[in-house]
Amino acid sequence: MSGHKNWVSKRTCVYNIGYHIVWSTKYRRNVLSGAVEKRLKELFQEIAIDFGFEVSEFEVMPDHCHLFVTCHPKYSPSDIVKQLKGITAR
């Protein structure tokens, strides 16, 4: 990390928060490939825009996915996971 370049300045705070989130499919089934993988990546970006956080990096494997999310301190990791998993599960 190089100094203050990664910090975000808002009206009431300055922050640099990142969460590494990993979750797997039920029974680790290999279903996250092809069209499902493509749609999942699109949904990650749409959800991030709608809820005001950023998915900096993501990797989708056939049975699990890794996300690196940066967000405002008002969002807890559980709030972010709830939004991502709840919407993409449908």
Side-chain angles (χ1 to χ4, degrees):
M1 211 177 285
S2 58
H4 59 73
K5 292 181 183 179
N6 298 327
W7 292 24
V8 178
S9 178
K10 297 290 182 182
R11 195 173 86 183
T12 59
C13 62
V14 176
Y15 61 91
N16 180 12
I17 297 176
Y19 299 114
H20 179 214
I21 301 170
V22 181
W23 76 83
S24 63
T25 59
K26 189 171 184 177
Y27 305 119
R28 299 289 294 224
R29 291 193 173 131
N30 294 327
V31 296
L32 303 177
S33 58
V36 175
E37 177 184 4
K38 182 180 176 191
R39 181 64 180 142
L40 186 62
K41 289 180 178 182
E42 292 169 358
L43 282 172
F44 286 156
Q45 295 302 334
E46 291 172 15
I47 295 166
I49 291 168
D50 290 346
F51 290 94
F53 55 87
E54 178 185 353
V55 178
S56 305
E57 295 185 30
F58 53 90
E59 182 73 30
V60 178
M61 305 296 192
D63 65 344
H64 68 282
C65 53
H66 294 261
L67 300 165
F68 189 77
V69 178
T70 56
C71 65
H72 191 278
K74 70 180 177 181
Y75 297 112
S76 69
S78 64
D79 291 337
I80 295 167
V81 171
K82 187 185 324 179
Q83 296 302 328
L84 290 168
K85 287 184 72 174
I87 294 170
T88 58
R90 293 184 211 118

